[in-house]
Amino acid sequence: MEQKREQWGSKIGFILAVVGSAVGLGNIWRYPYLLYSNGGGAFLIPYFVALFTAGIPLVLLEYGFGHKFRGSSPLSFARANKKFEWLGWWPSFSSFIILTYYTMILSWAMNFLTFSFGQSWGVDTDSFFFNDFLRISSGPFDIAGMRWPIFIGITLIWAINWFISYKGVSGGIEKLNKVLLPTLIGIMVIIVVRGVTLPGATLGLNKLFTPDWSKVTELGVWIDAYGQVFFSLSLAMGILITYSSYLPKKSDLNNSAFMTAFANSGFEFLCAIGVFGILGFMATTQGVPIEDVASQSIGLAFVAFPKVFSLMGPLGTVFGVLFFASLVFAGLTSSISLMEAFASAVVDKTGSSRKKIVTITAIVGYLVSVLYATGAGLYFLDIIDNFINSFSIVVVGLLEAIIIGWVVGADKIRKHTNSVSIYRIGKWWEIMVKFVTPAILIYMVGSNIINELSNPYGGGDYPSSALMLLGWGVVGAIIVLAVISSTTKWKKGVLEDIDSEEV
Ligand code: PHE
């Protein structure tokens, strides 16, 4: 007897889990700056075009694909067309690699959560983060020593990930998201409401939204919009395919796709308002222009914001705790989805128990993550993350659109999603998936490759051997592993077993 596939306990559980994956560090520390630096209000045009021509069509594609073939990404591809199973493994391995460094960022956030109580980052937050906390080494080949506070954080995050995954889809992932996502939204609303009432907040908000229409004509701005939509919706990672494979047969996929995309965009927008309100306060208090304080990514979270929190006095302690808690919560719900995209693939292929696979994955992943807890960790993260985002994810998205759109058949997927949904998707969707999305993604991949070749990542800061090894090498290794995995044998009967799970 085949085992029944696990299922979400409710539709809302599924939506929360997908939104939990989508809402992550990208929403909090990437989107606000992107909006600000790419033309403010004017950026909303490329952003929404990207959402409707690539974001939502691909969410629907992945939902439909995973739901129709009822499997993790490799299982769905293998069932659709055995020749393309490798393409299913590619995002699963990317997910695993991303998970190993996502864990490190969460460990930083956890550490900073504890620092917030005493604002122990002092006055020079930049030096505190890089020299005292990370003890950053001289380059990617200088491992330096182990950073024990980061090591402890990584251990804790892996333990949580392991425990949640071990508990299964409805007993672990769904429960985690049901608690963390509403909490996260609540925290963000508090940050935003208090943030926009700080003195000087309007300065930040004006800067954020004032449209610079000339930007709309710049190609780079459009690439940024597509990149953000792609990353933010957790596309091309095997996550949405896997999550939708746990839905009951009759599930309104079309409606869910729009709901997740809008929920994610809404949250991004909320974060942008909060972040720029706070940056406006900082600029005003220090008497400097917004340009001098606006930043993104780790510079925003671990350098600029700690500084603002110190400026706020006791209120800053509350803000600090809430902010770093929001990073940890947003990151946990994303990292659990990365874990699932990988573990479910191995469970499907080998037929072993979830508990066993999750435990092995957690141990191996943890051992890899520990490498990032060294003085060279930030360099590893920076190089690997850039190559995975610029090449691995975009290429997988492109191949998915082409293979599912043309070989498996966009019409078949549309027929499937329409047959289970209340609201029906029109022919426009097939045109998007078969022509528009691939054309845009080909352009993106091409320009990323040209960019990297003419101007290697890091602007000369990294030796080319490091880029070879950690950049091209890691992406190459992911592809090789994907191809090898696709040649191993499936557990007997799994490929044919698609209709055995009656719902
Ligand atoms: N979507 C997440 C964000 O916006 C990032 C992420 C990408 C998480 C891929 C998991 C997988 O931050």
Side-chain angles (χ1 to χ4, degrees), residues 8 10-23 63 173-185 240 243 247 256 259-260 263 329-330 333-334 336-337:
W8 300 108
S10 61
K11 180 181 169 189
I12 186 73
F14 162 71
I15 299 272
L16 288 175
V18 185
V19 177
S21 172
V23 163
Y63 280 1
I173 303 174
E174 184 168 345
K175 284 208 178 111
L176 176 88
N177 280 288
K178 275 189 167 159
V179 176
L180 290 195
L181 199 64
T183 315
L184 172 65
I185 295 172
L240 304 187
Y243 272 12
L247 279 169
S256 307
M259 251 162 63
T260 28
F329 292 172
T333 52
S334 293
I336 203 73
S337 71

Side-chain angles (χ1 to χ4, degrees), residues 465-483:
S465 50
L467 297 180
M468 260 339 236
L469 190 70
L470 296 167
W472 298 115
V474 169
V475 173
I478 289 175
I479 300 174
V480 170
L481 282 172
V483 172

Side-chain angles (χ1 to χ4, degrees), residues 3 14 30 32 52 61 78 91 163 178 199 235 238 268 271 355 360 362 365 390 419 453 455 461 473 483:
Q3 272 181 328
F14 162 71
R30 192 152 175 252
F52 283 100
L61 181 84
F163 179 74
K178 275 189 167 159
L235 285 167
E268 280 186 333
C271 292
K355 292 187 160 60
I360 298 172
S390 310
S419 74
L453 294 181
N455 182 11
D461 282 354
V483 172

Side-chain angles (χ1 to χ4, degrees), residues 205-407:
L205 296 179
N206 282 340
K207 276 278 178 198
L208 172 65
F209 288 116
T210 307
D212 173 0
W213 296 108
S214 68
K215 290 269 186 192
V216 179
T217 57
E218 281 175 26
L219 263 169
V221 171
W222 287 82
I223 295 199
D224 276 354
Y226 278 92
Q228 172 66 13
V229 162
F230 225 76
F231 179 77
S232 194
L233 286 170
S234 303
L235 285 167
M237 302 297 302
I239 294 171
L240 304 187
I241 296 178
T242 307
Y243 272 12
S244 74
S245 76
Y246 299 134
L247 279 169
K249 287 222 165 122
K250 196 83 193 147
S251 299
D252 195 334
L253 299 177
N254 295 346
N255 170 282
S256 307
F258 281 89
M259 251 162 63
T260 28
F262 291 144
N264 180 58
S265 294
F267 191 82
E268 280 186 333
F269 210 65
L270 191 69
C271 292
I273 296 175
V275 166
F276 272 81
I278 294 173
L279 290 176
F281 163 79
M282 183 176 184
T284 310
T285 327
Q286 301 198 313
V288 295
I290 283 281
E291 294 82 72
D292 289 7
V293 294
S295 53
Q296 62 173 339
S297 178
I298 54 177
L300 176 82
F302 300 111
V303 179
F305 266 22
K307 194 179 256 166
V308 198
F309 300 147
S310 295
L311 288 173
M312 292 175 181
L315 174 67
T317 305
V318 181
F319 260 106
V321 170
L322 290 178
F323 175 74
F324 288 111
S326 77
L327 281 188
V328 173
F329 292 172
L332 269 178
T333 52
S334 293
S335 67
I336 203 73
S337 71
L338 291 165
M339 177 91 167
E340 189 60 21
F342 180 76
S344 69
V346 185
V347 169
D348 282 350
K349 181 101 196 193
T350 58
S352 300
S353 74
R354 157 184 290 275
K355 292 187 160 60
K356 186 170 147 199
I357 298 299
V358 161
T359 306
I360 298 172
T361 306
I363 294 172
V364 177
Y366 173 59
L367 293 177
V368 178
S369 288
V370 167
L371 291 175
Y372 296 96
T374 61
L378 178 60
Y379 301 122
F380 297 163
L381 156 94
D382 189 37
I383 299 175
I384 299 177
D385 184 58
N386 170 65
F387 278 76
I388 290 199
N389 281 321
S390 310
F391 302 106
S392 197
I393 299 187
V394 195
V395 175
V396 168
L398 171 64
L399 294 177
E400 255 182 35
I402 294 176
I403 303 301
I404 304 180
W406 291 89
V407 182

